[in-house]
Amino acid sequence: MYSYEDRIRAVKFYINCGYNAAYTVSKLGYPDASNLKRWYREYSESNDLHKGRKKVSKFSDREKRDAVDYYFAHDRNALQTVKALGYPSRPLLIQWVKELFPEEGKRRCKSFKPHVRCSQEEKIQAVMESCKGNLKISQIAKIYGVTPSAVSIWRKELLGEGRTLKMIQPPAEDKSIEQLIREKAELEAKVKRLENDVYKLQLERDVLEKAGDILKKEEGINLDQLTNREKVFLIDALRNKYKLNELLPVLKLSKSSYCYQVQCIKSKDKYKELRQQIKELFICNKEIYGCRRIHCLLKKDGIIVSEKIVRRIMNEEQLIVKAARKRKYNSYKGEITPEVDNIIKRDFSAKKPNEKWLTDITEFHIPAGKIYLSPIIDCFDGMVVS
C-alpha cells in the first residue's frame, strides 16, 4: 500500500521527533501506529526496509505435501480435499499442485474451459444496456457468457465509476527538532489539563452519588441546600478516596466550619435526659400534645428550657401529632335516574327553525341570594325561545 520512499520517510520522521508515534501519524497523515512501529523494528534490525511485498505463508511445507498427497489419493478432487483437511482454499491447493507437480498443473489448465473474449464493441453495448436499467447485471452477463463481476469491471473502465483513495501528502518541509520538542511539551501540558478536568468531574459525580446514598432525599440532591452537618457526613464518607482540600471547595464549606461540626458531632448530647423526658410525656399523653403543651408540662415539673429547644428536639425525634383529616363535604350521591340517550351527539346545526332546542342552567350569587338562569336556544339561528 505504501511505497519504499514513504515508509523510509515515516521511520526517519518517527526517530527525529523522539519516537512519538501519535505525533508522526498526525503530521504525516499515514500510517497507523502499529504499522509505524513494525517498520521501525524492521529498520532497526537490518538498517533498511524491504522494497517488495513480503509474503509469509502460514502453512508449512509438511502441510503442503500432505494436502497434495491427499488430493492425488482421492481422485484429484480439490473440493473433497479442502473439506476433509479443513485447509487451504481451492485456488491455493491448485497452486500447490502446480508448484510440486507442473505436469498436473498443465493437465488441469487444458481441462478448463477457454476464457470468453469479448470485443470492445460488445463491452460498450453491455455497459449501455446496464445503464438503461432494463436488465440486471446478472442477466447481461448471462447474455454475453461472462460473470457479473466482469460487467462491473467494464463499467468502471468505460464510465470511470468507483472511488479513488487519495493519501494525505506529508508536509514539504520537516520541522526542526527544537520546534518538535516545544510542540511536544505543549501537548503534554494540554493532556495534563484535560486529566485534571476529568478528575474534577469524577469528584463531583462521586459527591452527588454518595449524597444520594447517604442522605436519601426524595426531591433530589442540591449541594447548595445541604446543611453543614450533612456536608460533614458526606466528606467523611469520601475521605478514603479524595483529600479534604479537594472536597471542601466542591461542597462550598470552609475548613473552620468543618472542624466545628466535627467537634459538635463528637461531643456529648447535653439534652440526652431532656429527650427521654419529652418522649415519655409525648407517649403518656396519647401522642396528641404538641411542643407548647409539652413545654408547659416540663415547666410544671420545674424544668426550665426554651420552647424552641423543645420544638427542635421533637422534630429531631420525629414526635409528630397525628391529626385526623376532616373529609370535605360532597353532596354527590351517584346517579339516581337512568342515563338519557345522546340524541344530538354534539351536532348543533339545524336546517330549519324549531328542529333542535338546547338548554342549560347557570347559578348566580347576588345579595338577595342565589338565582338560576335556564334559557332555551334554537340551534337554527341562536334565537332565545324561552
Side-chain angles (χ1 to χ4, degrees):
M1 181 177 179
Y2 300 100
S3 63
Y4 173 77
E5 292 77 9
D6 292 335
R7 288 183 280 119
I8 283 290
R9 181 185 180 86
V11 171
K12 291 183 178 180
F13 191 88
Y14 173 67
I15 296 172
N16 292 334
C17 70
Y19 305 99
N20 191 335
Y23 181 74
T24 303
V25 173
S26 64
K27 287 298 179 182
L28 298 182
Y30 74 97
D32 53 3
S34 60
N35 281 332
L36 179 60
K37 293 179 180 179
R38 180 168 55 83
W39 295 349
Y40 172 72
R41 286 195 299 269
E42 182 182 352
Y43 183 82
S44 61
E45 292 173 358
S46 59
N47 202 19
D48 198 3
L49 298 175
H50 65 278
K51 294 186 178 181
R53 178 179 292 181
K54 294 176 66 176
K55 292 185 178 180
V56 180
S57 178
K58 63 180 180 179
F59 299 103
S60 63
D61 295 337
R62 177 73 178 176
E63 291 174 336
K64 290 182 181 180
R65 174 63 64 178
D66 293 343
V68 173
D69 293 343
Y70 192 94
Y71 168 77
F72 282 107
H74 293 79
D75 300 330
R76 297 181 174 86
N77 192 328
L79 180 60
Q80 184 180 358
T81 303
V82 172
K83 286 184 177 180
L85 299 180
Y87 75 95
S89 61
R90 291 172 63 186
L92 186 56
L93 177 61
I94 301 303
Q95 182 181 349
W96 291 351
V97 172
K98 291 180 181 179
E99 290 176 0
L100 300 177
F101 298 94
E103 296 81 6
E104 177 65 18
K106 292 180 181 179
R107 188 190 67 79
R108 288 187 58 83
C109 289
K110 290 180 180 179
S111 65
F112 291 157
K113 295 182 180 179
H115 293 287
V116 178
R117 300 290 182 182
C118 295
S119 62
Q120 188 68 16
E121 290 78 10
E122 292 176 339
K123 293 181 180 179
I124 295 174
Q125 185 66 26
V127 172
M128 291 177 62
E129 291 178 359
S130 66
C131 292
K132 290 179 182 178
N134 297 328
L135 297 176
K136 296 181 180 179
I137 293 180
S138 59
Q139 296 174 347
I140 298 172
K142 190 174 182 181
I143 294 172
Y144 289 91
V146 295
T147 59
S149 60
V151 180
S152 301
I153 293 173
W154 297 346
R155 285 174 60 96
K156 293 179 181 179
E157 291 176 353
L158 297 176
L159 302 179
E161 295 183 354
R163 62 176 184 175
T164 57
L165 300 176
K166 295 182 179 180
M167 185 175 65
I168 300 175
Q169 296 295 332
E173 298 180 358
D174 293 338
K175 296 181 180 180
S176 62
I177 300 299
E178 293 77 8
Q179 189 175 2
L180 291 176
I181 294 174
R182 185 168 59 254
E183 291 182 356
K184 179 183 177 183
E186 292 176 356
L187 291 174
E188 289 177 352
K190 186 176 181 180
V191 169
K192 192 172 182 180
R193 288 196 300 269
L194 292 175
E195 290 177 353
N196 292 334
D197 293 341
V198 171
Y199 181 78
K200 291 180 181 178
L201 293 175
Q202 182 68 29
L203 171 61
E204 294 177 358
R205 178 175 173 271
D206 291 342
V207 167
L208 291 174
E209 288 183 353
K210 188 61 69 174
D213 295 339
I214 295 177
L215 305 179
K216 301 184 183 301
K217 291 184 177 293
E218 298 179 355
E219 298 178 356
I221 300 298
N222 187 357
L223 299 180
D224 296 334
Q225 296 179 357
L226 298 180
T227 62
N228 290 347
R229 192 181 185 87
E230 293 174 342
K231 292 180 181 179
V232 169
F233 288 131
L234 191 56
I235 290 174
D236 292 340
L238 295 172
R239 283 292 299 274
N240 58 347
K241 188 175 181 181
Y242 299 101
K243 297 179 180 178
L244 179 62
N245 56 1
E246 294 174 348
L247 293 169
L248 290 176
V250 176
L251 294 172
K252 298 179 181 179
L253 183 68
S254 63
K255 189 174 181 180
S256 59
S257 299
Y258 170 77
C259 296
Y260 173 76
Q261 292 294 332
V262 170
Q263 292 296 329
C264 291
I265 293 172
K266 291 182 179 180
S267 61
K268 296 181 179 179
D269 187 9
K270 61 181 180 179
Y271 298 113
K272 185 177 181 180
E273 297 180 357
L274 180 63
R275 288 177 185 275
Q276 188 64 29
Q277 292 180 359
I278 291 175
K279 287 182 181 180
E280 292 177 356
L281 290 174
F282 184 76
I283 295 172
C284 292
N285 290 280
K286 301 179 181 180
E287 299 183 359
I288 61 173
Y289 275 19
C291 62
R292 294 184 180 87
R293 288 188 175 183
I294 297 292
H295 178 257
C296 292
L297 293 177
L298 292 173
K299 195 173 180 180
K300 287 181 181 179
D301 294 340
I303 300 174
I304 306 301
V305 67
S306 174
E307 184 181 336
K308 293 181 179 180
I309 296 177
V310 176
R311 183 184 297 109
R312 189 186 70 187
I313 292 174
M314 292 184 69
N315 289 334
E316 292 175 356
E317 299 296 333
Q318 297 293 321
L319 303 178
I320 301 172
V321 177
K322 299 177 182 179
R325 284 189 176 184
K326 292 184 179 180
R327 185 178 176 183
K328 189 177 180 181
Y329 174 75
N330 189 0
S331 62
Y332 180 74
K333 296 182 180 180
E335 297 291 341
I336 58 177
T337 57
E339 184 181 0
V340 181
D341 295 337
N342 188 4
I343 302 174
I344 298 296
K345 296 180 181 179
R346 301 197 64 80
D347 183 13
F348 303 115
S349 60
K351 297 181 179 179
K352 57 183 179 179
N354 299 326
E355 183 179 7
K356 292 180 182 178
W357 286 0
L358 300 179
T359 184
D360 195 6
I361 187 168
T362 306
E363 180 182 279
F364 292 96
H365 293 268
I366 61 173
K370 296 181 181 179
I371 60 173
Y372 299 90
L373 173 64
S374 180
I376 300 175
I377 297 175
D378 192 350
C379 288
F380 177 71
D381 53 0
M383 181 179 177
V384 178
V385 178
S386 174

